[in-house]
Amino acid sequence: QVQLVESGGGLVQAGGSLRLSCAASGSIFSGNVMGWYRQAPGKQREFIATIASSGSTNYADSVKGRFTISRDNAKNTVYLQMNSLKPEDTAVYYCKYVRGYPAYWGQGTQVTVSS
């Protein structure tokens, strides 16, 4: 079992920044991939970014150049630095841990960007 706890969400004006954190605990093994996804009201959950334990990253086109994913393997924590936020970034942001099956999700943290 893996537990994920997100933090760092909140209300920010357009153009502002937020930093999300996701702390993982439980049966954490090397070779995992952690990532961030988001879900806006009435929409499907969408991929934002992933980072492997090696440090390799992938980003959705919608956030490239604005968001940066990073991780601290010693702390089993992944971060999402979000800059130049837009109202369309408003969503619940979820952390995901993958190493084989099943995948694990956090409970989500709300990010609201006002215009």
Side-chain angles (χ1 to χ4, degrees), residues 1-3 24-29 76:
Q1 289 283 342
V2 174
Q3 295 78 42
S25 61
S27 301
I28 307 298
F29 297 97
N76 292 323

Side-chain angles (χ1 to χ4, degrees), residues 73-95:
N73 288 333
K75 296 182 178 179
N76 292 323
T77 299
V78 63
Y79 306 96
L80 186 68
Q81 178 66 44
M82 305 186 293
N83 299 327
S84 303
L85 283 161
K86 305 175 182 179
E88 51 264 44
D89 294 318
T90 295
V92 178
Y93 283 68
Y94 296 91
C95 177

